[in-house]
Amino acid sequence: MRAKQCGRRERCGRCGTWLVLGLLLFLTARAPAPAREQSALTPTATAVDVSVPGIGRTWPVGTRPTVLRGWEPPATVYGRGHRGVDLAAPAGTPVRAVAAGRVSFAGRVAGKAVVSVELTGTDLRTTYEPVTASVRKGDEVAAGEVVGVVEPTGSHCPTTCVHWGLLRGETYLDPLSLLPPWLLRRGPSRLLPVLGVPVPT
């Protein structure tokens, strides 16, 4: 006996059932596993260091200074890059320790005035230059405590600035990673008017 085929105008319950089942199988099928080559796209430990704790409690200068140039890690130890962050600051601006620590250096390096602070409870140290120190080696400093003032000369910026660095041993890291999200935000939140609610007089 010959099986009956569905015509164009004839509705066939069997065909509809198969279509629905096929669609369900298609929608519930798992996506294929990503190819191994894609693993090269994930950041490596040298590109993103999640071990830097967000212990910063203040910016080195101002409340939210302009970042003139960000951190650009060099491809090699002696390669080109920017081993810190440049923050806009007029000469004479107070420079503060971003976190509690002990001053490990306060003096001149290659003609530039530098202050370095070892951060308490970590293997990290921050550097600030060009900064005329108001602290001495061995001094304990609290987060937000002034360690010096911006010098009028000695910066590599087009205008006066503070070069803020972060190191673990001899490895440079992004100093902005010390700051928690609430310090990195651009400013206070602003409430927008709600439609239909009268403005108080």
Side-chain angles (χ1 to χ4, degrees), residues 36-163:
R36 288 187 181 182
E37 292 80 18
Q38 289 180 350
S39 63
L41 299 176
T42 56
T44 61
T46 54
V48 176
D49 191 347
V50 294
S51 66
V52 175
I55 58 173
R57 292 296 169 258
T58 182
W59 285 87
V61 290
T63 53
R64 181 57 171 93
T66 300
V67 177
L68 299 174
R69 186 177 177 191
W71 183 65
E72 299 163 13
T76 63
V77 177
Y78 300 106
R80 294 183 62 170
H82 191 233
R83 295 162 173 85
V85 172
D86 292 337
L87 305 174
T93 300
V95 179
R96 298 182 297 275
V98 297
R102 185 181 61 82
V103 178
S104 57
F105 183 83
R108 300 192 95 69
V109 176
K112 289 184 181 179
V114 179
V115 175
S116 183
V117 178
E118 293 176 352
L119 303 182
T120 303
T122 73
D123 57 352
L124 302 168
R125 71 183 186 279
T126 56
T127 58
Y128 313 93
E129 62 177 81
V131 175
T132 302
S134 58
V135 291
R136 292 181 297 179
K137 182 178 178 179
D139 287 352
E140 297 286 334
V141 293
E145 187 174 336
V146 174
V147 296
V149 295
V150 179
E151 286 196 339
T153 59
S155 85
H156 55 250
C157 303
T159 180
T160 54
C161 74
V162 170
H163 178 82

